[in-house]
Amino acid sequence: MNIILFGSPGSGKGTQAKMLGEHFYLRKISLGDILREEVKKDNEIGRQVKKYMEQGVLVPDELVSHIIEDNIDVKSSDNHLGHRGIILDGFPRNLSQARVLEGILNKGGQTVDTFIYLDIDEKTIIDRLSKRRVCKQCGANYHLDTMPPRCQNVCDTCDGELIQRNDDKPSVIKKRREVFLEESKKLLDFYAQKDKLLAIDGRGTKEEVFDRIKNELQPKITYEK
Ligand code: AMP
């Protein structure tokens, strides 16, 4: 079972990918998280990646393609640790990346099963992103109103410091949203033509959204957990 979670920045992809991964035994691969790790390394690739992320634009395909190929590794990864497939958060984000992904999966005799589109209005997105805080240490996400940490600015899980992502600042949010709108239609059409598109209402609490997705996916799952 190989699933893609797609949606605007702030649509809740990361949160849902984690919940679905745990529920359906899928290995979560978040390209945004992987790229942030590259940036932390402060090497040649990391410095190039940082430049694009700070502007809110996509990192060029040449840079991300080999990163995703290294991380997917379909054959070896999915059986140990009991995983039954992968759930991709933040990849593909455009048509050429969708084709790269097909190539990688096909090599392992696999394919994308479902492309989930989290559909959500602009106002909710801006509210979510501007009030999002992330743990500097473990990457856990919070929302100042709906999912606040127990102590202000401190992660509940690891006591790390909570910060605002640089690309969650208003001017960068606007750019990321524009990039998303430009690329999304082509990608949605691509998966709709293959009859793999599953559009989900992304409004409401994370549990409500999770239940909507779970109810749609459950009948397609053929393996025992
Ligand atoms: P995210 O954490 O998914 O919101 O991604 C944060 C940033 O990482 C994006 O604004 C892009 O700069 C970069 N990024 C994430 N996924 C991709 C991708 N598939 N292709 C290119 N750049 C990406």
Side-chain angles (χ1 to χ4, degrees), residues 40-94:
K40 274 193 205 158
K41 289 181 199 159
D42 197 23
N43 55 20
E44 182 50 33
I45 292 189
R47 281 190 288 274
Q48 286 188 51
V49 167
K50 184 173 181 206
K51 222 171 49 193
Y52 296 101
M53 288 181 86
E54 279 179 348
Q55 294 168 44
V57 297
L58 293 185
V59 178
D61 291 348
E62 313 84 79
L63 273 175
V64 294
S65 296
H66 79 269
I67 294 180
I68 203 78
E69 186 149 19
D70 290 349
N71 278 276
I72 287 187
D73 189 14
V74 183
K75 277 191 193 136
S76 65
S77 61
D78 293 328
N79 295 327
H80 74 265
L81 301 176
H83 289 125
R84 304 304 177 97
I86 54 176
I87 182 152
L88 285 163
D89 155 23
F91 192 92
R93 269 176 144 112
N94 60 28

Side-chain angles (χ1 to χ4, degrees), residues 56-155:
V57 297
L58 293 185
V59 178
D61 291 348
E62 313 84 79
L63 273 175
V64 294
S65 296
H66 79 269
I67 294 180
I68 203 78
E69 186 149 19
D70 290 349
N71 278 276
I72 287 187
D73 189 14
V74 183
K75 277 191 193 136
S76 65
S77 61
D78 293 328
N79 295 327
H80 74 265
L81 301 176
H83 289 125
R84 304 304 177 97
I86 54 176
I87 182 152
L88 285 163
D89 155 23
F91 192 92
R93 269 176 144 112
N94 60 28
L95 213 45
S96 74
Q97 292 182 0
R99 297 203 172 103
V100 167
L101 177 63
E102 273 199 341
I104 297 172
L105 290 176
N106 287 349
K107 269 194 246 164
Q110 303 207 27
T111 182
V112 169
D113 295 285
T114 306
F115 180 89
I116 301 173
Y117 170 49
L118 284 180
D119 191 5
I120 191 148
D121 60 287
E122 177 132 14
K123 190 170 162 292
T124 310
I125 281 167
I126 292 175
D127 175 78
R128 282 187 185 173
L129 290 178
S130 55
K131 293 183 183 163
R132 170 160 71 182
R133 296 294 180 269
V134 295
C135 174
K136 211 170 159 181
Q137 217 158 272
C138 74
N141 273 256
Y142 297 86
H143 182 279
L144 293 181
D145 299 336
T146 59
M147 234 200 300
R150 283 195 293 268
C151 295
Q152 208 183 359
N153 291 332
V154 180
C155 178

